[in-house]
Amino acid sequence: MMVRWRTQSSVAISADAASWILIDASPDILAQLRSFPEAQPSRAIRDTAIAGIVLTDSQIDHTTGLLMLREGPPLRVYCTDSVRDDLTTANPLFGILAHYCGVEWQRLETRDMARFHVQGVPGLTLRAVPLSSKAPPYSRYRHDPHEGDTLGLQVTDDATGRTLFYAPGLGRMEPHVRAIFERANCLMVDGTFWTDDEMIRLGISDKRAEDMGHLPQSGAGGMMEVLAGYRRARKILVHVNNTNPILDEDSSERGELTAAGIEVAHDGMEIVL
Amino acid sequence: MMVRWRTQSSVAISADAASWILIDASPDILAQLRSFPEAQPSRAIRDTAIAGIVLTDSQIDHTTGLLMLREGPPLRVYCTDSVRDDLTTANPLFGILAHYCGVEWQRLETRDMARFHVQGVPGLTLRAVPLSSKAPPYSRYRHDPHEGDTLGLQVTDDATGRTLFYAPGLGRMEPHVRAIFERANCLMVDGTFWTDDEMIRLGISDKRAEDMGHLPQSGAGGMMEVLAGYRRARKILVHVNNTNPILDEDSSERGELTAAGIEVAHDGMEIVL
């Protein structure tokens, strides 16, 4: 058995390696920034190279890290109305942060998947792709889904036209998502669970992957089958739950992935699009 | 210059090395538990040896780690009414956690500094010592102080009678605190700032140490002078801000501390009382 310890899912994206977009702010963000010198240009005290933060949802593992960035300049945070609702009511991080650095909220629209840019980050164009998944357990939208509860993010390098699609929470493939997959040069997608009943079999939850808004990798219609349809893209699983057997590099499940040309993200992974 | 990276302040205390009290839940708690095998007995999946969590205040750096412990059994959390107020209103961690593991709140009383025990942790007796400090910036009590906003914790080993006093936020010495200092075999106390105007001189805040409820180490009436009065105790500074020159092991300030017999806490530090 060979399992590497992993921090929780956040990625940093840049076209010029000087200004960075942080996608999701994991609770492990301080350790992640520490191991990533590019994010710490040290132009001033308590400086970071993160120009803006884009949230794919309001899950605790994607938002708690905002608190760890409170001792600096205002945080420019891009998210949808429903994510902002969660972060100003049940989990009022924006209200708390107002007493420290403050938050400059930038509304993300999912209608027509309009293109947007993150201020201060040249060379990258983004689109917010609404996904079928689940709002967090604490959210008023958990059992009342709204478009914008969960996003995938398409990131295009303006210089090359190449695109990345990042989607840590993806419960169901839909036509507009298939179109985004088709276009992608790199797919970094939901790797939470191997099987739909993984948590139930381990006795730690009565919820199926589907109940939590995650498409499992194995089985009919699973993520492996989905990814097999997209031959040109590099394929990487992210947001891997600690119950998922693919974390064991010696497991047969990991072997299946590797044979299918699917990678598993790890700390410090660098991707050149 | 020699500065070791540090995680944020949490300590674990035990009499039998099997059941542990966690004092404060720092945002770095997962990394801290990972480097502390005793806390992971692995008797069951997602098991920890932490029987209860005692909070000294509701500061973000002492409470955010509760969220990282959400995927297990209910958390037994000991705190005062005013800390619970903060954690159910402005920073409603208890409400959020109700959707995951749940919180079993245990009220801490400061009146008469009554003794208490943490359920499941034999051999240790605690007292909650009310301190003059400051509630967090986000708290309704920031400018309306109440007894119980900030605690020090006296921990007595029942077998030996020896006591530890832990106080990461201590703004002013008062008679009842002097009595606790007098009695202590080990003092782990507020090491936030070296000088009262440290943040102002660095240009990152307009607040003095005093405004934030921390007694600086240097100067008349400072922590070094205070500690000089207690000869029998081991003396360790905790909760050291990243602006504090004592973090540089080669600094003259650190040299002054060392000459005075005062240590600076570091990750992985083990103290046998």
Side-chain angles (χ1 to χ4, degrees):
Chain A
M1 182 142 169
M2 166 60 198
V3 179
R4 277 191 274 188
W5 191 74
R6 282 169 165 79
T7 57
Q8 295 167 80
S9 63
S10 281
V11 293
I13 301 185
S14 178
D16 61 5
S19 298
W20 294 79
I21 302 169
L22 180 65
I23 301 184
D24 295 326
S26 99
D28 299 313
I29 189 68
L30 294 183
Q32 290 166 340
L33 290 179
R34 182 187 171 214
S35 66
F36 184 53
E38 292 88 335
Q40 304 173 64
S42 298
R43 298 161 297 197
I45 198 163
R46 295 183 167 175
D47 187 31
T48 81
I50 296 169
I53 301 161
V54 186
L55 301 177
T56 62
D57 57 37
S58 56
Q59 298 281 354
I60 288 173
D61 61 345
H62 289 156
T63 58
T64 303
L66 294 175
L67 289 176
M68 280 64 127
L69 303 173
R70 70 189 179 283
E71 304 283 14
L75 300 178
R76 197 174 294 127
V77 178
Y78 295 72
C79 68
T80 61
D81 280 313
S82 56
V83 169
R84 178 173 179 266
D85 270 6
D86 284 339
L87 300 184
T88 52
T89 57
N91 185 11
L93 295 178
F94 286 11
I96 294 171
L97 288 166
H99 297 276
Y100 302 85
C101 57
V103 171
E104 292 174 4
W105 175 50
Q106 308 285 321
R107 173 182 278 124
L108 285 190
E109 302 275 6
T110 52
R111 200 167 19 121
D112 305 327
M113 300 192 289
R115 288 170 171 76
F116 69 97
H117 298 91
V118 170
Q119 198 180 323
V121 180
L124 296 177
T125 299
L126 287 81
R127 295 168 85 187
V129 179
L131 299 179
S132 287
S133 185
K134 284 278 187 187
Y138 75 77
S139 168
R140 71 170 84 171
Y141 302 118
R142 177 71 166 188
H143 303 292
D144 175 24
H146 284 62
E147 179 168 305
D149 293 346
T150 306
L151 300 179
L153 291 167
Q154 186 196 58
V155 184
T156 303
D157 181 335
D158 297 339
T160 64
R162 292 173 66 85
T163 81
L164 162 76
F165 183 60
Y166 183 77
L170 174 58
R172 200 169 70 235
M173 289 301 288
E174 296 172 281
H176 73 283
V177 182
R178 292 192 185 279
I180 295 283
F181 269 56
E182 190 65 52
R183 174 86 180 73
N185 300 98
C186 182
L187 290 162
M188 297 185 78
V189 294
D190 190 334
T192 312
F193 297 116
W194 179 253
T195 46
D196 188 51
D197 63 352
E198 191 166 310
M199 300 283 272
I200 299 170
R201 282 198 288 168
L202 285 165
I204 53 181
S205 172
D206 56 2
K207 296 196 186 74
R208 299 187 164 274
E210 186 186 348
D211 301 328
M212 288 182 271
H214 297 293
L215 186 66
Q217 284 108 55
S218 65
M223 189 63 85
M224 284 190 68
E225 194 178 292
V226 167
L227 289 174
Y230 303 94
R231 302 201 168 271
R232 74 167 185 166
R234 184 170 173 189
K235 300 158 188 174
I236 304 166
L237 297 179
V238 298
H239 195 265
V240 183
N241 198 53
N242 57 12
T243 55
N244 192 327
I246 64 174
L247 289 175
D248 177 1
E249 297 177 20
D250 297 332
S251 67
S252 60
E253 293 87 349
R254 181 63 164 268
E256 281 186 58
L257 284 183
T258 305
I262 300 170
E263 300 166 73
V264 180
H266 57 81
D267 279 53
M269 190 174 201
E270 290 186 22
I271 296 159
V272 177
L273 189 61
Chain B
M1 181 144 170
M2 166 61 198
V3 178
R4 276 191 274 188
W5 191 75
R6 283 168 164 80
T7 58
Q8 295 167 81
S9 63
S10 281
V11 294
I13 300 186
S14 178
D16 62 5
S19 297
W20 294 80
I21 302 169
L22 180 66
I23 301 184
D24 295 326
S26 99
D28 299 314
I29 188 68
L30 294 184
Q32 291 166 340
L33 290 179
R34 182 187 172 215
S35 65
F36 183 54
E38 293 88 335
Q40 305 173 62
S42 298
R43 299 162 297 198
I45 197 165
R46 294 182 168 177
D47 187 32
T48 81
I50 296 169
I53 302 160
V54 185
L55 301 178
T56 61
D57 57 35
S58 56
Q59 299 281 353
I60 288 173
D61 60 345
H62 289 156
T63 59
T64 303
L66 295 174
L67 289 176
M68 280 63 127
L69 303 173
R70 71 189 179 281
E71 305 283 13
L75 300 178
R76 198 174 294 126
V77 178
Y78 294 73
C79 66
T80 60
D81 280 312
S82 56
V83 169
R84 178 173 179 267
D85 271 5
D86 284 340
L87 300 184
T88 52
T89 58
N91 185 11
L93 295 178
F94 285 11
I96 294 172
L97 288 166
H99 297 276
Y100 302 85
C101 58
V103 171
E104 292 174 6
W105 176 51
Q106 308 284 322
R107 173 183 277 122
L108 285 190
E109 302 276 5
T110 51
R111 201 165 20 120
D112 304 327
M113 299 191 290
R115 289 172 171 75
F116 70 98
H117 298 91
V118 170
Q119 198 180 323
V121 181
L124 297 177
T125 300
L126 287 82
R127 293 168 87 188
V129 179
L131 299 178
S132 287
S133 184
K134 284 279 186 185
Y138 75 78
S139 168
R140 70 169 86 171
Y141 302 118
R142 178 72 167 185
H143 302 293
D144 175 24
H146 284 62
E147 180 168 303
D149 293 346
T150 306
L151 300 179
L153 291 166
Q154 185 196 58
V155 184
T156 304
D157 181 335
D158 298 340
T160 64
R162 292 173 67 84
T163 80
L164 162 75
F165 183 59
Y166 183 77
L170 175 57
R172 199 169 71 235
M173 290 301 290
E174 297 172 280
H176 73 284
V177 182
R178 292 193 186 277
I180 296 283
F181 268 55
E182 190 64 53
R183 173 88 179 73
N185 300 97
C186 182
L187 290 162
M188 297 185 79
V189 294
D190 191 334
T192 311
F193 297 116
W194 179 254
T195 46
D196 188 50
D197 63 351
E198 189 167 309
M199 300 283 273
I200 298 170
R201 282 197 288 167
L202 285 164
I204 53 181
S205 172
D206 56 1
K207 296 198 186 74
R208 298 187 166 274
E210 185 186 349
D211 301 328
M212 290 183 269
H214 298 291
L215 185 67
Q217 285 106 56
S218 65
M223 189 62 85
M224 285 189 70
E225 194 178 292
V226 168
L227 289 174
Y230 303 94
R231 299 199 171 273
R232 74 168 186 165
R234 183 171 172 188
K235 301 159 188 172
I236 304 166
L237 298 178
V238 299
H239 195 266
V240 183
N241 198 53
N242 56 13
T243 54
N244 192 326
I246 64 174
L247 288 175
D248 177 2
E249 297 176 21
D250 297 332
S251 66
S252 61
E253 294 87 350
R254 181 63 163 269
E256 281 186 57
L257 284 184
T258 304
I262 301 170
E263 300 166 74
V264 180
H266 56 80
D267 279 54
M269 191 174 200
E270 291 186 23
I271 296 159
V272 177
L273 189 60

